[in-house]
Amino acid sequence: MAAGLLMRVALCNEVLQPMPFAVQCAYAAALGYDGLELAPFTVSDEPHRMPDWHRAELRRAAAEAGIAITSLHWLLVTPKGLSITSPDDEVRARTVAVMQGLVGLAADLGASVLVHGSPAQRQIPPGESRETALARAVDCFARAAEAASAAGVTYCIEPLGRGETPLVNTVAEAAEIVDAIGSPALRTMIDASAAGQTESESLAALVDRWLPTGRIAHVQVNDRNRRGPGEGDDRFAPMLGALVRNGYGGVVAVEPFKYLPDGPACAARAIGYLRGILEAQGDGG
């Protein structure tokens, strides 16, 4: 494959807190990132209700730095008390309203993808079955997909490790929900750390199996030790090679949870590591 700008590499912006958002944009751009993946809770306590002036401010900060807001993640951290599995109809209705509001925010910011992880907000309530909790979650995802379709963005269900949530832990489980709902605006994604803990095959094999199906719309890279790519035992060249081989044209987002020695240094190390691999494999990223 000839070298080309197929994949974009983004940085999850919470890594650079407490920098102001404009400084985050400038710093990430200077390191060589193509975009930021925005965690809405970092910019507002009620991001789904963000006023137009604030949205314009975020867009302007990114544009002035020459960087994109590629995606949103950590969707349900704020406001507090949200859940897609709660037996309380009012809680779920409020949660869906937030999900739909964030779809609108993503579209307004120019982001094409929303990543629904939020493990604390998709637990199985005490005394209830997995099937009951899953049915409630599926209904919420279906309503988010309707909003995403209308807004022209993609809503992704993120499989997470079993230590975070017992609900939707593998790409196959997420794909079942995607297929059941049947909306082209609803897809799934691969989080390298979670997949390394839950999947029975390698990351490269996972990409080779699922990317050609059209169900994968996003990728996050992080080591199983919860640090950035290149800061642990996991090797990402085979996974990135599989993405290049399969013509992936989406975003690869750097999402560490442990920042050593600190967030800015972690961000710098990750982009150098990833760019080196991509350039060697014929994708300038």
Side-chain angles (χ1 to χ4, degrees), residues 58-70:
L58 296 178
R59 289 195 305 268
R60 182 168 56 252
E64 288 178 353
I67 202 169
I69 300 174
T70 59

Side-chain angles (χ1 to χ4, degrees), residues 31-119:
L31 290 179
Y33 284 95
D34 301 301
L36 285 177
E37 179 162 305
L38 179 68
F41 74 88
T42 65
V43 292
S44 174
D45 291 334
E46 289 196 320
H48 62 298
R49 294 176 176 168
M50 185 181 293
D52 290 344
W53 68 263
H54 196 175
R55 298 175 191 229
E57 188 178 77
L58 296 178
R59 289 195 305 268
R60 182 168 56 252
E64 288 178 353
I67 202 169
I69 300 174
T70 59
S71 35
L72 272 59
H73 77 148
W74 280 112
L75 303 182
L76 302 184
V77 175
T78 56
K80 302 298 183 183
L82 302 177
S83 172
I84 61 173
T85 56
S86 171
D88 188 321
D89 293 344
E90 184 177 342
V91 169
R92 293 199 315 281
R94 184 158 52 91
T95 302
V96 168
V98 171
M99 294 161 72
Q100 293 170 333
L102 292 177
V103 165
L105 176 63
D108 285 347
L109 296 180
S112 58
V113 171
L114 297 94
V115 179
H116 189 116
S118 300

Side-chain angles (χ1 to χ4, degrees), residues 20-33:
F21 185 71
V23 179
Q24 294 177 17
C25 291
Y27 183 79
L31 290 179
Y33 284 95

Side-chain angles (χ1 to χ4, degrees), residues 38-246:
L38 179 68
F41 74 88
T42 65
V43 292
S44 174
D45 291 334
E46 289 196 320
H48 62 298
R49 294 176 176 168
M50 185 181 293
D52 290 344
W53 68 263
H54 196 175
R55 298 175 191 229
E57 188 178 77
L58 296 178
R59 289 195 305 268
R60 182 168 56 252
E64 288 178 353
I67 202 169
I69 300 174
T70 59
S71 35
L72 272 59
H73 77 148
W74 280 112
L75 303 182
L76 302 184
V77 175
T78 56
K80 302 298 183 183
L82 302 177
S83 172
I84 61 173
T85 56
S86 171
D88 188 321
D89 293 344
E90 184 177 342
V91 169
R92 293 199 315 281
R94 184 158 52 91
T95 302
V96 168
V98 171
M99 294 161 72
Q100 293 170 333
L102 292 177
V103 165
L105 176 63
D108 285 347
L109 296 180
S112 58
V113 171
L114 297 94
V115 179
H116 189 116
S118 300
Q121 294 79 23
R122 69 184 214 214
Q123 298 296 317
I124 298 176
E128 296 200 342
S129 68
R130 181 182 185 278
E131 290 71 23
T132 297
L134 184 60
R136 292 180 185 137
V138 169
D139 179 67
C140 293
F141 286 136
R143 295 169 68 182
E146 291 175 0
S149 180
V153 299
T154 300
Y155 201 94
C156 287
I157 302 170
E158 180 180 11
L160 292 172
R162 294 182 179 89
E164 298 181 89
T165 175
L167 210 63
V168 191
N169 304 119
T170 66
V171 173
E173 290 171 353
E176 285 184 16
I177 299 173
V178 169
D179 292 347
I181 293 172
S183 169
L186 184 71
R187 297 167 74 185
T188 186
M189 51 84 66
I190 296 173
D191 176 277
S193 181
Q197 298 169 39
T198 62
E199 301 285 355
S200 60
E201 56 193 333
S202 70
L203 293 173
L206 200 66
V207 170
D208 283 333
R209 179 154 71 100
W210 286 104
L211 197 61
T213 71
R215 295 182 181 93
I216 303 297
H218 194 66
V219 174
Q220 290 174 337
V221 286
N222 33 33
D223 195 278
R224 276 176 288 182
N225 67 10
R226 309 285 279 174
R227 293 174 65 175
E231 292 190 79
D233 293 333
D234 294 341
R235 295 294 174 260
F236 287 85
M239 179 189 191
L240 294 173
L243 290 170
V244 171
R245 181 166 62 249
N246 285 280

Side-chain angles (χ1 to χ4, degrees), residues 3-11 28-36 66-67 70 221 229-230 236-237 240 244 250-252 254 267-285:
L5 300 179
L6 293 178
M7 281 179 267
R8 291 186 294 169
V9 182
L11 174 68
L31 290 179
Y33 284 95
D34 301 301
L36 285 177
I67 202 169
T70 59
V221 286
F236 287 85
L240 294 173
V244 171
V251 171
V252 173
V254 172
R269 178 168 181 168
I271 189 64
Y273 174 79
L274 295 173
R275 289 292 187 206
I277 293 172
L278 289 171
E279 290 171 6
Q281 294 183 344
D283 188 317

